[in-house]
Amino acid sequence: MSLSIHPLIDENGIIDWLRRGPDPATMTRRSFLKVAMAASALGATGLVSLPRPARAFAYEPYPRDDELQTVVTSCAHNCGSRHMLVAHKKGDVIVRLSTDNGAYQAGGQFGFDTEAVPQLRACLRGRSYRARLYSQERLLYPMIRVGARGEGKFKRASWNEALDLVAGKMLELKEKYGPTAILDQSYAGASYGVLHKSDQIEGLLARFLGIFGCRTNSWSVPSYQGTTFSSRTTFGTIEDGNEDDAFAHSKLIIMWGWNPAYTFHGGNTFYYMRLAKQRGCKFVLVDPQYTDAAAAYDAWWIPIRPNTDAAMLAGMAHYIFANNLQDQRFIDRFCQGMDAGTMPEWAQDKENFRDYIFGKYDGTPKTPEWAAQICGVSAEDIKKLADLYARTKPAALKASWSPGRNAYGEQYNRMAAAVQAMTGNIGILGGSAEGVGKAFHTEAVAYPYDDYANVWWGSIKSDRWAHCVLNYPNVKREEVGLWPRDDELDGKIPDIRAIWWHGSDWFNQLTNINKEIEAVKKLDFIVCNDSTITPSGIWADVLFPIATHFERHDVALPWYKGHYYIHRPKVIQPLGESKTDFQVFTELAYRLGFGEKYNPKATRSYFENDDVVDEQYLREWWEGRVMEHQGVTMGWDEFKKRGVYKFELKEPHVAFRAQIEKGEPFPTYSGKIEILSGWLAEVKDWTKTQYGYEIPYIPKWIEPWESLNHPMTKDYPFHLISPHPRWRTHSIFHNIPWLRETYTQEVTINAGDAARLGIVMGDTVELWNDRGRVVVPVYVTERCMPGVLVLHEGAWMDLDEQSVDRAGNPDFLTKDDPSPAGAFAYNTVLCNIKKSDLVHRPGWDQLATARSHIFRRGDH
Ligand SMILES: Nc1nc2c(c(=O)[nH]1)N[C@H]1C(S)=C(S)[C@@H](COP(=O)(O)OP(=O)(O)OC[C@H]3O[C@@H](n4cnc5c(=O)[nH]c(N)nc54)[C@H](O)[C@@H]3O)O[C@H]1N2
Ligand SMILES: Nc1nc2c(c(=O)[nH]1)N[C@H]1C(S)=C(S)[C@@H](COP(=O)(O)OP(=O)(O)OC[C@H]3O[C@@H](n4cnc5c(=O)[nH]c(N)nc54)[C@H](O)[C@@H]3O)O[C@H]1N2
Ligand code: SF4
Ligand SMILES: [Mo]
């Protein structure tokens, strides 16, 4: 069997991605083998042949290391980190993957691994990458939909046919519906390379559609829009992060909605936190669930009702002020609006934070007792934590993004920043101002990034696209978070007729999928660029097969934290007929008449050979930016030989060190940490801003639209949160059998709640609310607080005839209502749960089996 013929294709050249065989849940081993044999027999008959056969196949006889060639590269993707992968290949086949061993960097040798220059060792996802590279779900040639949209039936097409179809449709859509007809849903699937970049702002698609003249932009970021809003407003920048190694110097680390054992934020976070532990650091976790990170560091767990964090932080602020534990010198020097003494001249009639906390304006002092009623944390614990934090120096309150993925997420992050500032833990080693937490500044773009980049004619909150499509033209600008313009298009609701997915599986990953399904039916055209079929791709009209980062030339960037670059050569030739996104957009640009403008270093032959041009872009970037701006003396050729460049910093990078130590201004309007925000205080008409709704100019507690304190708990008594999975990068890796063997998509419930509902470990349950219904196995534990359910994001949706999702994707239950600062309210969800007879399927990519839960069943 060879990948030159897709093993799942039928005699008419049609792949039916969704109907690949019997249900694994009901399949015996015997019937499974029969299906597997039938599938390989079909592949072997060779009904369709390719012009250029792809010779790669993963399971050739296993060669020894001395027969293999070693190539340094890295993972890509939006996974929370960036580690080295070392490909060991024979001919054009990767037969093994390993990782950093200290020997690849300049001056390093095998085993080299220091606090200043640690190894970049891959996690289990990275190490299983070969299974993704050579998976059955790889797209090997362009495909055009043949069945109904979403039915999953596609037919193979030639590149010429597919490109012509797309170029023709683009012209037609722009002509008929104007410059907002195509919605750009490019996202971070490939953001962390410098050349082959997918991204809402710096990405290849944004510039392509921008030059073409038809693009609606999606401006809000699922990860942390509330948090970015807070960081920009309070500190004037999202670069409020320390590098990982700074954690090793903390005496107290408060993991606030942060589980670095699962959800990576940086490449070596765990290592540095362990060093802190060894040096006597105390750990606290504020989270509805007792996480593995808390277990690893023996943290004091404070279970909190989801989305009530801003209230608890306000209660802490009250305790600190009331006991005069604040760092008043720091406040007086660096803060605006923390108290009456730090109010600027122009704001004498405005509220200040301290008086808000003491209840001067609304008659409600935000005491620990007041907070306790809201968060379910005792007043004693709130005081104890506030006392510990205020008296321990240096202390890192790491306010992660998840609690900010909430209806008023920006208030949580602004409140956390106020508490970080009042204790003087900003700009000092071992403290923390995070927030977004972006740390070391890398040079991030190697392709033309100019006046044409990120041009748009309409720009909306990303989670409001379905609302926009379904209600067009009767939509108010604030409902979709329309970004203001200074031309005649201002206020014009985009007439969205098409979507383009590039580096995103957004149909599976945004909120309220059932509403998206309604909206997608109204669209004229959908294109998906991806290297595998995805749950989004199933709904596309055209699938462009994209070469993975093993099959193209690039340089990898760290993810928010990390100070290094990893070379990513073309390790193997692209599988099947796949091309890079840059090749696809360049060729389309030629067909639409702006090829040279789009890719100025290329000629049209780029579609056949990208090597020379990509090398030119990368060399120019290295020599002109990295060497020029970052003091690197290693040349491009030497970097390529090594595969990695690690910066060695004189001291750990700490955000705002210069502001605190040297008195440089913060990059805000006032030059101070803006607890009272000057620009927020000035807004007159919120509907004319992209936010649409009022945002208070000091941090405040605002009740979210769904929570355990809401009357809706009568029908939906559980608060669902959906953190990020350890075993996947969102939806990526969901189809990897090796990883599936280690976990199952399951919902976590408190043991007391489960007992009350007659649910035991391993039962199949259904979760539902007004928006949708999903089926999953259940995990029963004392480690989750009562009233809370935990279901990880990213499972590949798998609908039955009644629109029930058998795979357990939480985004059938999440809500797409507009949150003022643009936060995605993924964690603001009420639902109910019961034992179910419905079938759970780990996913329609059913070769991947998930069996681990079977062995954990309560009755075994
Ligand atoms: N319920 C719930 N839902 C959530 C979240 C949550 O907390 N709860 N979190 C949200 C967050 S923070 C995020 S960031 C989103 C992530 O949402 P997505 O970005 O949609 O998620 P991924 O699964 O990473 O999908 C990226 C896709 O890009 C593809 N890709 C990778 N490299 C390339 C490339 O070079 N070219 C092309 N064309 N494609 C490529 C991958 O194959 C993959 O299909 O999910 C969000 N969804
Ligand atoms: N393994 C892995 N790592 C990843 C990713 C991935 O997909 N897989 N994705 C990356 C991306 S794109 C992002 S955006 C980041 C996300 O990073 P985070 O936002 O930090 O991560 P989450 O996993 O959503 O949530 C972390 C913790 O917050 C808790 N939590 C949820 N809601 C609340 C709440 O209301 N209050 C409190 N106090 N705690 C709450 C959860 O129980 C969980 O333990 O992770 C990155 N890292
Ligand atoms: S954390 Fe990310 S970059 Fe690192 S090995 Fe895992 S998937 Fe790859
Ligand atoms: Mo994210």
Side-chain angles (χ1 to χ4, degrees), residues 747-782:
V747 62
T748 305
I749 187 172
N750 171 269
D753 287 337
R756 197 166 38 78
L757 298 170
I759 291 171
V760 296
M761 179 81 96
D763 274 351
T764 300
V765 294
E766 55 190 276
L767 276 56
W768 77 97
N769 60 21
D770 290 346
R771 301 179 283 275
R773 189 176 295 266
V774 306
V775 183
V776 265
V778 69
Y779 186 85
V780 178
T781 176
E782 302 282 349

Side-chain angles (χ1 to χ4, degrees), residues 79-368:
C79 64
S81 189
R82 191 73 49 240
H83 294 113
M84 189 190 289
L85 289 178
V86 181
H88 303 272
K89 62 171 196 160
K90 184 168 189 203
D92 204 31
V93 181
I94 298 174
V95 297
R96 194 163 73 79
L97 285 175
S98 67
T99 188
D100 199 354
N101 63 14
Y104 302 104
Q105 73 227 39
Q109 72 269 332
F110 183 83
F112 182 83
D113 191 20
T114 66
E115 192 172 335
V117 188
Q119 290 184 17
L120 306 167
R121 300 176 67 81
C123 81
L124 74 174
R125 290 168 289 169
R127 287 165 195 249
S128 65
Y129 214 100
R130 213 164 55 88
R132 176 172 149 82
L133 191 60
Y134 297 115
S135 73
Q136 298 251 24
E137 286 75 29
R138 269 307 290 267
L139 293 172
L140 297 174
Y141 30 74
M143 290 196 187
I144 295 175
R145 172 171 67 83
V146 291
R149 188 175 284 154
E151 197 188 358
K153 289 204 177 99
F154 290 86
K155 187 166 177 146
R156 180 178 178 184
S158 68
W159 269 109
N160 209 21
E161 190 184 353
L163 290 164
D164 268 350
L165 175 66
V166 172
K169 269 284 180 191
M170 287 174 71
L171 289 169
E172 186 190 316
L173 287 165
K174 183 174 148 193
E175 164 83 29
K176 256 171 126 171
Y177 304 110
T180 57
I182 303 175
L183 177 65
D184 179 345
Q185 287 199 336
S186 173
Y187 196 53
S191 283
Y192 300 92
V194 298
L195 185 58
H196 299 281
K197 220 181 189 44
S198 70
D199 187 302
Q200 292 152 294
I201 300 161
E202 292 169 338
L204 296 169
L205 179 63
R207 190 164 169 280
F208 169 67
L209 293 177
I211 300 180
F212 174 62
C214 183
R215 174 174 182 246
T216 291
N217 178 38
S218 310
W219 70 257
S220 57
V221 176
S223 313
Y224 55 30
Q225 197 62 46
T227 311
T228 16
F229 178 87
S230 164
S231 295
R232 287 217 171 91
T233 305
T234 313
F235 300 118
T237 172
I238 63 167
E239 296 189 355
D240 58 6
N242 308 333
E243 285 290 90
D244 267 346
D245 51 346
F247 279 121
H249 303 270
S250 294
K251 294 221 167 69
L252 169 70
I253 296 177
I254 305 173
M255 299 179 282
W256 202 297
W258 189 44
N259 177 15
Y262 270 38
T263 315
F264 281 60
H265 275 244
N268 276 303
T269 323
F270 231 66
Y271 164 62
Y272 291 115
M273 289 170 79
R274 197 183 69 209
L275 289 182
K277 177 83 187 168
Q278 287 164 352
R279 294 168 187 169
C281 178
K282 293 199 183 81
F283 287 80
V284 179
L285 170 74
V286 183
D287 198 306
Q289 49 166 347
Y290 180 69
T291 60
D292 280 3
Y297 301 126
D298 190 22
W300 168 29
W301 176 34
I302 303 177
I304 183 170
R305 283 185 198 135
N307 292 197
T308 64
D309 306 271
M312 176 157 164
L313 286 157
M316 287 170 65
H318 189 282
Y319 177 88
I320 292 170
F321 281 136
N323 292 281
N324 212 18
L325 292 172
Q326 74 277 15
D327 186 339
Q328 195 63 45
R329 255 193 77 229
F330 185 96
I331 293 174
D332 292 342
R333 257 189 92 188
F334 299 114
C335 298
Q336 167 172 292
M338 181 74 91
D339 53 18
T342 53
M343 291 297 271
E345 202 48 46
W346 61 264
Q348 292 307 318
D349 61 334
K350 300 275 187 256
E351 301 182 1
N352 71 68
F353 182 65
R354 183 185 168 116
D355 286 343
Y356 163 75
I357 292 292
F358 282 113
K360 182 172 166 191
Y361 311 112
D362 58 4
T364 307
K366 314 298 176 298
T367 60

Side-chain angles (χ1 to χ4, degrees), residues 287-508:
D287 198 306
Q289 49 166 347
Y290 180 69
T291 60
D292 280 3
Y297 301 126
D298 190 22
W300 168 29
W301 176 34
I302 303 177
I304 183 170
R305 283 185 198 135
N307 292 197
T308 64
D309 306 271
M312 176 157 164
L313 286 157
M316 287 170 65
H318 189 282
Y319 177 88
I320 292 170
F321 281 136
N323 292 281
N324 212 18
L325 292 172
Q326 74 277 15
D327 186 339
Q328 195 63 45
R329 255 193 77 229
F330 185 96
I331 293 174
D332 292 342
R333 257 189 92 188
F334 299 114
C335 298
Q336 167 172 292
M338 181 74 91
D339 53 18
T342 53
M343 291 297 271
E345 202 48 46
W346 61 264
Q348 292 307 318
D349 61 334
K350 300 275 187 256
E351 301 182 1
N352 71 68
F353 182 65
R354 183 185 168 116
D355 286 343
Y356 163 75
I357 292 292
F358 282 113
K360 182 172 166 191
Y361 311 112
D362 58 4
T364 307
K366 314 298 176 298
T367 60
E369 289 72 17
W370 163 87
Q373 297 298 313
I374 298 168
C375 346
V377 180
S378 72
E380 282 60 48
D381 281 349
I382 296 173
K383 291 178 195 169
K384 194 173 140 193
L385 179 62
D387 201 84
L388 185 66
Y389 181 52
R391 290 182 198 275
T392 314
K393 281 265 165 67
L397 195 174
K398 162 75 185 180
S400 199
W401 308 344
S402 194
R405 254 178 252 118
N406 129 22
Y408 300 95
E410 70 282 2
Q411 298 308 321
Y412 145 74
N413 276 113
R414 292 257 291 142
M415 196 71 83
V419 174
Q420 289 163 338
M422 69 197 288
T423 55
N425 272 304
I426 288 171
I428 59 169
L429 183 61
S432 167
E434 303 181 13
V436 171
K438 186 159 174 43
F440 188 75
H441 187 83
T442 46
E443 291 291 336
V445 185
Y447 89 102
Y449 189 70
D450 49 19
D451 291 350
Y452 303 114
N454 195 22
V455 177
W456 46 261
W457 288 265
S459 185
I460 58 171
K461 286 180 177 168
S462 312
D463 51 351
R464 297 299 284 163
W465 76 268
H467 184 86
C468 190
V469 168
L470 287 169
N471 297 290
Y472 181 86
N474 302 312
V475 180
K476 294 205 192 81
R477 59 188 296 164
E478 61 269 26
E479 288 171 36
V480 291
L482 192 67
W483 201 285
R485 293 177 64 98
D486 50 16
D487 60 14
E488 71 289 351
L489 282 176
D490 184 53
K492 270 225 149 126
I493 300 299
D495 187 5
I496 297 165
R497 300 289 174 149
I499 292 185
W500 205 312
W501 289 308
H502 165 222
S504 90
D505 188 8
W506 267 15
F507 203 62
N508 197 64

